[in-house]
Amino acid sequence: MTLQLGEDEEHPREKQRGPVVLRRSRRVEDTTTDQRLLDSRGPADWVHTDPWRVLRIQAEFVEGFGALAEVPKAVTVFGSARTGRDHPEYQLGRDIGAALAGAGFAAITGGGPGAMEAVNRGCSEAGGLSIGLGIELPFEQGLNPWVDLGVNFRYFFTRKTMFIKYAQAFICLPGGFGTLDELFEALTLVQTKKVTKFPVVLFGKSYWDGLYQWLRSAVFAEGKIGEKDLALLHLTDDVDDAIEVVEDAYRAWGDAH
């Protein structure tokens, strides 16, 4: 490296770019930030840079927090987007949404079709607050028509924060990879006490029992999780039972706060 005039090893050429310090001539830019902002010429590649993504992420958090800050007590319900309207699980989702509304809970889903639509529909039709948190996907999806309050996200991790921050319980209907991802993220956050303990209800014993038995016979048996970790899961086929678990946990949470 060749030092420029006025430079030495202890005092290299330096330029400030906001909170960032650029040193040594190979890192110094010839333009300023406001000059680049006001100069509309050139390619639009800058909108895909990491610093710009950070602003988008920040904006998503601000929009999400702002939209959901005054949401009353709520339960997040996960489930498959592939559940058809003629499938028994669709009616089950409607029943759960209606029961949550009847118990005074808002229902939060991913806002998509299938089981998510069913829960939003049941909650909305029963007079409850039906919330959908959508996600940008390569294929067209959009929020289902029974979402009363909807927020769309670009980033999964921002959306997951909203699922967790504004819920007092999780109910998982049968689902695929997305449902499993959300289930285990919720369990991990509860297990590690990143969130206040609240229940995770697995609805549909015949669907979830294989997973539960594997957790017990393999993961627990080999000491990878403890008895208290298994106790975080509640399996049921009964809507009233699920709502009772949610209400009991909410009362316990309220007493602790």
Side-chain angles (χ1 to χ4, degrees):
M1 182 190 70
T2 303
L3 293 175
Q4 300 295 315
L5 184 65
E7 288 187 286
D8 58 50
E9 289 291 351
E10 293 186 6
H11 301 88
R13 186 181 174 195
E14 179 178 296
K15 182 176 181 179
Q16 295 281 340
R17 191 178 67 190
V20 178
V21 176
L22 303 172
R23 285 179 174 163
R24 299 181 178 83
S25 55
R26 66 177 180 273
R27 299 293 304 277
V28 174
E29 301 173 356
D30 294 328
T31 59
T32 63
T33 302
D34 52 359
Q35 178 185 342
R36 292 191 297 275
L37 173 65
L38 297 172
D39 188 349
S40 61
R41 296 169 297 174
D45 294 345
W46 57 275
V47 300
H48 303 295
T49 62
D50 285 343
W52 187 252
R53 290 190 181 101
V54 169
L55 293 178
R56 281 181 169 171
I57 292 166
Q58 179 182 355
E60 287 205 349
F61 278 114
V62 171
E63 289 292 338
F65 291 155
L68 302 173
E70 297 181 0
V71 165
K73 59 183 183 178
V75 174
T76 294
V77 185
F78 299 124
S80 175
R82 302 184 183 189
T83 302
R85 290 181 177 174
D86 57 348
H87 196 285
E89 289 171 6
Y90 187 91
Q91 182 58 51
L92 181 62
R94 291 181 67 179
D95 293 342
I96 291 173
L100 288 172
F105 289 90
I108 303 174
T109 79
M116 294 175 282
E117 175 186 288
V119 173
N120 286 134
R121 181 176 181 176
C123 182
S124 182
E125 290 177 338
L129 178 58
S130 170
I131 301 170
L133 307 181
I135 185 69
E136 180 182 73
L137 294 171
F139 43 89
E140 196 66 32
Q141 190 173 44
L143 295 174
N144 69 68
W146 283 278
V147 168
D148 301 321
L149 171 60
V151 184
N152 279 303
F153 295 90
R154 286 188 175 92
Y155 301 99
F156 271 108
F157 57 85
T158 313
R159 180 185 185 227
K160 286 179 178 179
T161 300
M162 305 304 156
F163 279 143
I164 293 164
K165 180 174 175 58
Y166 294 101
Q168 279 75 51
F170 286 145
I171 297 177
C172 293
L173 290 164
F177 285 158
T179 302
L180 291 170
D181 172 55
E182 290 151 347
L183 164 64
F184 282 106
E185 175 142 359
L187 287 171
T188 301
L189 291 171
V190 176
Q191 179 199 47
T192 57
K193 302 187 186 303
K194 295 294 185 181
V195 297
T196 305
K197 180 180 177 180
F198 54 84
V200 179
V201 178
L202 300 181
F203 206 101
K205 287 183 178 180
S206 63
Y207 187 86
W208 294 109
D209 190 61
L211 173 64
Y212 183 81
Q213 294 305 326
W214 173 76
L215 289 172
R216 176 171 285 282
S217 63
V219 185
F220 171 71
E222 295 191 11
K224 304 298 191 293
I225 60 174
E227 191 73 46
K228 291 182 178 179
D229 300 324
L230 276 176
L232 297 174
L233 291 166
H234 182 85
L235 277 69
T236 188
D237 286 321
D238 185 78
V239 173
D240 292 337
D241 179 46
I243 300 303
E244 184 178 353
V245 170
V246 169
E247 289 182 315
D248 289 346
Y250 182 75
R251 281 192 292 268
W253 178 85
D255 292 343
H257 292 75

